[in-house]
Amino acid sequence: MIRKLIIAEKPSQAREYAAALGVKKRGDGFLENESYVITWCYGHLLELERPEAYMDLDRVGKRWSLKRLPVLPKLRDFRRVVKSGAEKQFKVIQQWLKSSDIGEVICGTDADREGQLLFQEVWDASKCNKPLSRLWISSLTNAAILEGLKSLRPGESMAGLAAAGNGRAYADWDFGMNLTEGFSSLFGSFDAERKKPNVISIGRVQTPTLALIVEREWEIEQFVTQRFFEVKAEFTTLQGGYPGKWFDLRDDSKRITDPQVAETIVAKTQGKQGEILRIEQKDVQEPAPLLFDLTSLSIAASKKYGYSAEKVLQLAQSLYEKKAITYPRTDCAYLSTDILPKLPDHLRATRQEPYTNLVDEAAQFGLPKGKRVINTITAHHAIIPTTEKVALDRLNRDEQNLYDLILRRFLAVWFPPAQYHQTDVVTMVEDEAFRTKGKVLLSLGWKKVYGSSELNEESEGKSKKKLKQDQTEDESVALPPLSKGEDVKAKRVFIEEKSTKPPKRFTQGDLLKAMEGAGKQIDDEILRQQLKGKGLGTVATRPAIIESLIDRGYILQDHKILRPTEKGVELIKVIKEKLPQAQLLISAEMTGQMEFDLSKVERGELTIEHYMTEVEEAIVRILQELRSFEQRHGKTPLALAPSSKNLKKGKEVKESGKKDKTKPVEESPVKRLGNCPKCGGEIIEGQKGFGCSNWREGCRFVLWKTPICGKVLTVNQVKSLLKKGRTPLIKGFKSKSGKTFAAYLIWEDQLEAKLKFEIENS
């Protein structure tokens, strides 16, 4: 019986494939019926070997040193090994790939670069030459899976995507392994408090991202506040009163910085007659915001709910696996023309309270049109609800919040634009000009989808605070009937003193924008879509980069604000001031270009060999520069990462050596250990066990601290279990007979937190 083998990215994905295909028989690490065998990875089952595997350690030694570098394996020489804890599942996949029962293999991992890479790793390791196809879908609904299986892509069409995946992995390995060892041997030290080395981690994307945060901090420190003065007036006419603000007719961006000038204008115009020089009136339309890609979704969720980028990705992945939304790791905010006929099904699936009336009204406007909705897409279209109705009460609170954002943004594009009547008035008094802006909402249009408190948040290109300020001063004015040439009187003229503000520190949402724009925060959403592919990292990797900067002691998160630590500042300073060749590492534009080159590899426009040659040449130059620095200055340890003890006492200081005036961040005693297998929430340590932080929303996942054959799970063991599916080898278990033994703990039933032993092979 010849069957088809589907390899999924993870067990939950495999279960969805099985449900769609009616595959019910369970095996150890796979599901099967007469036609299909479905097995799965746990993310990446293999990893690139450590640099020491390519070294002659007897010659170069085991201690990190510049003398051991560079280690730059040729493309054909890179080796992967099975990750600890993944041996069993890797063996299952290999057995099926080599089985005579299998006549065709289908790659069913996530339809993106990393999904292709983790499949490619196990495929290449097997040397399998069976016919290969690619399942490429944007949601896990039964209909999408079955439709995708009818239109499989040829395996060879994924060659570019696989090459780009390998290019990303090899380049990150070359940069990270060589330069982390190089920088650590020169600028690292021993952290006596933590009792481990203070590693100076370097990354192709991580380091330029850190530079963005540090350079913003320097801008803030060097900012010189300047006073300026605004002259405002209250005018009266026969029809009523209205306000105005002075401006220079020749240069409307000019500010008054001399108080004498402001006082002169007040004295000159107070109580005087004037006339309306110009009045312009027009009706304007404001279209609905673009649909969400992962970055814009993360920004919206950060702004409204304070979610980190990593949390948004976790929640979105959970919603995807629950068939609530389409594929979330997308950098595209458009839909393709071929999805248009299916959009009514997507809309009908959202018809439940509290959205019923909005859905019914949306349906009356017909299919969404225009290039703001239907346009050229990348690998995946924008994030929208699927064609399956979601049981909202089965989502936890955070999932409901994120789903609400996605659903309302989807509903908004069905509605017509919001309409305003806009008025711009210029009033002249004694040759001084005053401007008045009025903006009156005529029709809500898409804004009906949102409550009044959320309207400003959804308007394009402006933060809620900015909108509120603009409208208070310029646009919310209720104007009486006015006409050109009409006489007015400056009833009251007064001065408001203001001052320029320094740039703001990044929030995670702001940083995602800057990473996407290769260092430039691009608010215009259309322009943002046009510049895809040249940012720092990808939509899927940026959240992890931010978290790694926090974990490695380079930055701190103070509520929503990110700021650099002394360690982070010193690293960027030494690169910027002492290491010109290494400035490649902090160039957002250069790293963005590397990301763009990877996309060219994916499209077959650039060979992976050419890409890697440029990577290797850059690393060799930087290592040579580090050697020269060492000869001139010797080892120069950088600051240690801040400790929780110092943070609580307010001892974290800036690079200048002065105490930071910003309120110190107290590290929470509750630390995230990993993702909840049941709901995607955060696992934290409690008194009696390790449980899900979403317990208030009904998640009952918990690993109890009940002794298992005499041993109680430790924090590190739980971390490993959540990340790798197994603990490290635990010694000292005692059987009922009193005999001691060593074993790994692995999942027997992950969703129910049941464990079982995996005995070490003797």
Side-chain angles (χ1 to χ4, degrees), residues 296-455:
S296 57
L297 176 62
S298 300
I299 292 166
S302 172
K303 186 185 297 182
K304 185 167 184 182
Y305 299 113
Y307 295 160
S308 69
E310 185 179 48
K311 180 168 182 128
V312 172
L313 180 54
Q314 291 169 356
L315 291 171
Q317 184 67 24
S318 179
L319 289 172
Y320 171 65
E321 292 174 8
K322 291 178 178 180
K323 305 183 185 182
I325 63 170
T326 58
Y327 187 69
R329 289 177 166 85
T330 177
D331 63 353
C332 181
Y334 303 122
L335 301 175
S336 58
T337 52
D338 61 354
I339 201 175
L340 269 174
K342 305 170 192 171
L343 284 183
D345 293 333
H346 290 265
L347 182 65
R348 278 190 290 272
T350 65
R351 193 180 185 279
Q352 60 177 307
E353 292 303 329
Y355 312 108
T356 305
N357 291 339
L358 290 172
V359 172
D360 291 343
E361 189 170 351
Q364 295 174 14
F365 294 114
L367 289 173
K369 298 174 183 176
K371 290 187 176 181
R372 290 180 60 85
V373 183
I374 310 299
N375 209 321
T376 303
I377 68 167
T378 52
H380 294 279
H381 60 64
I383 306 169
I384 62 174
T386 66
T387 56
E388 293 198 11
K389 185 162 289 189
V390 179
L392 295 177
D393 58 356
R394 296 185 65 183
L395 304 179
N396 65 43
R397 178 61 57 83
D398 291 337
E399 289 171 340
Q400 288 179 23
N401 288 342
L402 202 69
Y403 182 70
D404 182 78
L405 286 176
I406 295 166
L407 189 151
R408 289 184 189 275
R409 184 69 70 99
F410 174 66
L411 289 177
V413 301
W414 292 75
F415 281 72
Q419 296 188 15
Y420 293 89
H421 183 69
Q422 188 169 291
T423 306
D424 192 340
V425 181
V426 176
T427 305
M428 296 296 295
V429 182
E430 298 292 319
D431 296 324
E432 300 293 344
F434 294 80
R435 170 169 285 152
T436 307
K437 289 183 179 181
K439 187 177 179 183
V440 179
L441 180 65
L442 301 177
S443 172
L444 278 170
W446 63 269
K447 294 195 173 189
K448 190 171 185 179
V449 173
Y450 298 91
S452 58
S453 63
E454 297 180 69
L455 291 182

Side-chain angles (χ1 to χ4, degrees), residues 146-164:
L146 294 174
E147 185 178 338
L149 287 168
K150 289 178 184 176
S151 53
L152 293 169
R153 299 185 180 187
E156 56 269 21
S157 68
M158 297 293 117
L161 190 63

Side-chain angles (χ1 to χ4, degrees), residues 460-477:
E460 299 176 65
K462 293 183 180 181
S463 69
K464 183 177 180 181
K465 183 176 180 181
K466 179 77 163 60
L467 265 170
K468 186 177 179 181
Q469 180 185 18
D470 286 351
Q471 290 180 340
T472 300
E473 297 183 352
D474 300 317
E475 296 181 348
S476 296
V477 182

